[in-house]
């Protein structure tokens, strides 16, 4: 990833964290580059947001490495720490596909784990992260990291 592309993705996530819309112009302004610079890497806002979701998947994978709690607890912890990135993972096609791939496994268990993760992360995004963690730790959210 080029330095400019990384700066643009960081700027997009920072804007979303601040509750602002990540338009290409706003991202350019936040990154301190010309208004046309984002167009070298992204055709439109949707492409930028999808790329931010993919970048978020790399952050999530790095956060899960070496985690002793298992992937579902790790994903919930990540969502608590990085709610904007977690929202990108749930709300973009690239993010959902990445989560599906990350959870892996055979059907129907993979689909059940994915539904569990979506529900728990939505709980975190609604402001109830501790409840989500408690549910997955006690198995009250469908059996933990099954």
């Amino acid at each position: 990833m080029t330095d400019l592309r990384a700066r643009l993705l960081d700027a997009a996530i920072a804007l979303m964290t601040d509750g602002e819309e990540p338009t290409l112009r706003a991202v350019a302004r936040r990154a301190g580059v010309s208004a046309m610079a984002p167009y070298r890497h992204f055709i439109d806002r949707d492409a930028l947001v999808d790329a931010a979701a993919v970048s978020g998947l790399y952050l999530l994978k790095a956060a899960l490495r070496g985690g002793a709690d298992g992937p579902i607890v790790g994903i919930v912890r990540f969502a608590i720490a990085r709610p904007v990135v977690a929202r990108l993972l749930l709300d973009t096609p690239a993010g959902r596909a990445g989560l599906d791939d990350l959870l892996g496994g055979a059907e129907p268990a993979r689909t059940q784990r994915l539904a569990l993760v979506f529900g728990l992360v939505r709980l975190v995004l609604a402001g109830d992260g501790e409840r989500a963690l408690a549910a997955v730790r006690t198995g009250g959210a469908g059996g933990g990291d099954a």
Side-chain angles (χ1 to χ4, degrees), residues 31-139:
V33 298
S34 74
M36 294 307 293
Y39 290 96
R40 291 186 210 142
H41 296 279
F42 310 105
I43 192 164
D44 59 17
R45 179 196 172 281
D46 291 341
L48 171 73
V49 171
D50 277 345
V54 171
S55 178
L57 282 167
Y58 289 115
L59 294 172
L60 174 59
K61 288 177 183 177
L64 293 176
R65 270 190 221 111
D69 290 330
I72 294 178
V73 172
I75 292 168
V76 171
R77 289 183 189 280
F78 181 83
I80 291 169
R82 306 286 307 260
V84 168
V85 177
R87 184 174 303 283
L88 283 173
L89 296 178
L90 294 188
D91 292 348
T92 62
R96 288 189 300 270
L99 281 174
D100 186 36
D101 184 55
L102 180 69
L103 292 171
E107 292 292 344
R110 184 182 75 228
T111 300
Q112 291 169 344
R113 283 193 304 276
L114 190 59
L116 173 63
V117 164
F118 273 51
L120 291 168
V121 172
R122 291 277 182 220
L123 193 57
V124 169
L125 295 175
D128 212 348
E130 289 305 315
R131 189 167 135 215
L133 272 177
V136 77
R137 282 188 186 134
T138 63

